[in-house]
Amino acid sequence: MTGAFRPEPRAARASGVSRAPRRRAAVAVLGAALAAVALASGCGIRTTSVPVDAGAAPSRVPCKLPSADVTTRSPDSVAAPVYLVCASQLVTVDRPVPADASGSGALGAARALLDQVRQAPPESERRAGFSTAVPAELRVEPSRAGDPAGTLRLSSQPEDLSEEALAQLVCTYAENEALVTEGSVVLGGPGEYPPRGYLCTSQTKARPQDGTTPDVLDPD
């Protein structure tokens, strides 16, 4: 009869029933994903496909000697602070120098301190993270005629040393009043270049590898 209701074929009804759960599952998964994105946005989290540099891991070296490992000095020596490299910074350790070094003038004091700062750290200092960048062959010589007062002549041009080595030497010498002229350490080399005064600053100690040992104007 025309216009009469005809039931849907069984195959069609079965197909509709089997698709409905899959459709509802897909909607649920999409809803969960959108909720996760919204939650992340609300917490201020931004997704990125680029690796994030969180900086260097903190150093685990102590940069400090246990009292039992402090170098024993003889009765005819005194403790003098020298700067070594530890955890990319300059840190002082006490080293024994001859007691008469300071009485032998600026050159004697400079040589005694250079002997210590260029010396390879003993095992106790190495365990604590200390090292030195000062070349073992570096020497310090007297000033020349016409040099500014307080000049120390090195066997290498100061600017030819590594940044860390120059910072170590300048800061070590800056601890000795006999080696400081008007607030700076005056260094020259074996060549004809005029000596210059160098300063040891807090930035020098914190970032010696960056070449932060500033030089002042040529001394008169």
Side-chain angles (χ1 to χ4, degrees), residues 112-173:
L113 290 171
L114 176 59
D115 284 343
Q116 292 300 322
V117 78
R118 71 185 177 186
Q119 176 181 298
E123 183 180 355
S124 60
E125 292 179 358
R126 292 197 303 270
R127 286 200 306 267
F130 290 98
S131 64
T132 184
V134 178
E137 68 275 7
L138 188 66
R139 301 289 184 270
V140 59
E141 304 297 339
S143 60
R144 301 173 184 171
D147 280 346
T151 296
L152 298 169
R153 288 275 180 177
L154 304 178
S155 57
S156 296
Q157 287 296 132
E159 59 270 20
D160 289 341
L161 297 174
S162 70
E163 288 84 356
E164 290 177 325
L166 181 57
Q168 278 185 258
L169 193 59
V170 169
C171 288
T172 297
Y173 282 172

Side-chain angles (χ1 to χ4, degrees), residues 50-125:
V50 180
V52 177
D53 183 5
S59 172
R60 295 183 181 274
V61 294
C63 294
K64 184 177 181 181
L65 293 174
S67 57
D69 289 337
V70 175
T71 304
T72 303
R73 61 179 186 271
S74 63
D76 58 347
S77 67
V78 295
V82 301
Y83 280 88
L84 300 179
V85 180
C86 190
S88 300
Q89 302 178 60
L90 295 188
V91 183
T92 56
V93 298
D94 285 340
R95 289 281 183 83
V97 298
D100 60 353
S102 57
S104 59
L107 182 60
R111 284 175 170 170
L113 290 171
L114 176 59
D115 284 343
Q116 292 300 322
V117 78
R118 71 185 177 186
Q119 176 181 298
E123 183 180 355
S124 60
E125 292 179 358

Side-chain angles (χ1 to χ4, degrees), residues 19-36:
R19 283 198 299 270
R22 289 199 298 269
R23 193 177 305 115
R24 287 196 295 270
V27 170
V29 170
L30 179 59
L34 292 176

